[in-house]
Amino acid sequence: GNSVTQMEGPVTLSEEAFLTINCTYTATGYPSLFWYVQYPGEGLQLLLKATKADDKGSNKGFEATYRKETTSFHLEKGSVQVSDSAVYFCALGSNAGGTSYGKLTFGQGTILTVHP
Amino acid sequence: NAGVTQTPKFQVLKTGQSMTLQCAQDMNHEYMSWYRQDPGMGLRLIHYSVGAGITDQGEVPNGYNVSRSTTEDFPLRLLSAAPSQTSVYFCASSYGAGSSGNTIYFGEGSWLTVV
């Protein structure tokens, strides 16, 4: 079945540091890949997505590239801010098996804390 | 813009009680779903619906019931609450299948504790 593995957290960084959160996946077919962010006390929001191999998703200074050869979708940001403190979820979406819904499979989440 | 609205935000139940978590969206989305979020486990799909009158089970459906009588509303019923159902519940909606790249909109969550 499909699965998503994220790097263990929590991650603690100083403001303006470089961020990488690793995400690897297992899936049949050609899934779409997503990063969702959850700020304290809120629901999840889509941060970025990529729907085919070698696509790069980007938003708010965050980037992730869909690497089919390494089955990875690592999240990066060159200079983090205190306001980036949140929980980040990698997710995979697949329509394999003919389901009309297309289930999303989430990783366990990585807590990021950025200090001034 | 209201988006996806969940109520209640917090609830404490006794074992064996029943309750309904309400979810409404005002974006005319066909796809709606309920997830539960537990520490270290990400989000797991409970039930979903691809349109009014159509529902199906997700990964962890046991102990929960849903119905979809209108496009806007998708309530989640706990039939007989158990401590294992202590969790944060999220309702979500999207125009099309989220797996295909359609943006999924999440509610703010409902914190449920079963004692």
Side-chain angles (χ1 to χ4, degrees):
Chain A
N2 297 338
S3 67
V4 175
T5 302
Q6 287 182 235
M7 66 183 288
E8 294 284 336
V11 175
T12 303
L13 295 173
S14 297
E15 208 164 25
E16 299 184 3
F18 183 85
L19 168 70
T20 299
I21 301 178
N22 290 339
C23 172
T24 56
Y25 68 90
T26 302
T28 54
Y30 301 93
S32 297
L33 299 172
F34 309 85
W35 278 100
Y36 279 83
V37 58
Q38 183 180 27
Y39 298 104
E42 299 183 10
L44 280 71
Q45 304 171 26
L46 178 65
L47 181 60
L48 53 83
K49 65 184 179 185
T51 57
K52 61 182 187 295
D54 299 325
D55 268 1
K56 177 185 282 188
S58 61
N59 187 25
K60 300 181 181 180
F62 291 90
E63 293 183 341
T65 301
Y66 188 160
R67 302 286 190 200
K68 191 167 176 61
E69 63 276 12
T70 54
T71 62
S72 66
F73 193 55
H74 305 322
L75 182 68
E76 296 182 336
K77 186 174 186 183
S79 176
V80 294
Q81 306 300 312
V82 172
S83 58
D84 293 327
S85 298
V87 183
Y88 292 82
F89 291 91
C90 185
L92 174 157
S94 173
N95 288 318
T99 171
S100 62
Y101 178 73
K103 177 179 168 296
L104 277 186
T105 300
F106 286 86
Q108 75 271 31
T110 301
I111 299 172
L112 170 67
T113 303
V114 180
H115 293 297
Chain B
N1 293 334
V4 179
T5 304
Q6 289 180 235
T7 55
K9 195 169 181 69
F10 299 98
Q11 183 72 49
V12 179
L13 283 179
K14 293 182 179 179
T15 297
Q17 285 185 318
S18 63
M19 77 157 297
T20 299
L21 297 176
Q22 302 291 345
C23 176
Q25 52 92 8
D26 61 358
M27 296 173 282
N28 202 31
H29 287 166
E30 291 295 323
Y31 289 69
M32 294 188 75
S33 52
W34 277 101
Y35 291 85
R36 59 178 288 173
Q37 182 182 24
D38 300 294
M41 300 188 73
L43 273 72
R44 293 181 293 168
L45 182 65
I46 305 172
H47 285 286
Y48 65 92
S49 169
V50 298
I54 306 169
T55 63
D56 208 343
Q57 297 180 350
E59 290 180 78
V60 288
N62 292 340
Y64 307 96
N65 205 356
V66 292
S67 59
R68 184 96 180 271
S69 56
T70 66
T71 298
E72 294 78 19
D73 300 299
F74 191 46
L76 178 72
R77 298 181 187 83
L78 278 70
L79 308 172
S80 177
S84 61
Q85 293 179 302
T86 294
S87 188
V88 183
Y89 292 84
F90 289 98
C91 181
S93 74
S94 60
Y95 178 71
S99 60
S100 301
N102 292 285
T103 298
I104 299 177
Y105 296 84
F106 286 84
E108 294 186 344
S110 297
W111 274 254
L112 177 66
T113 301
V114 182
V115 297

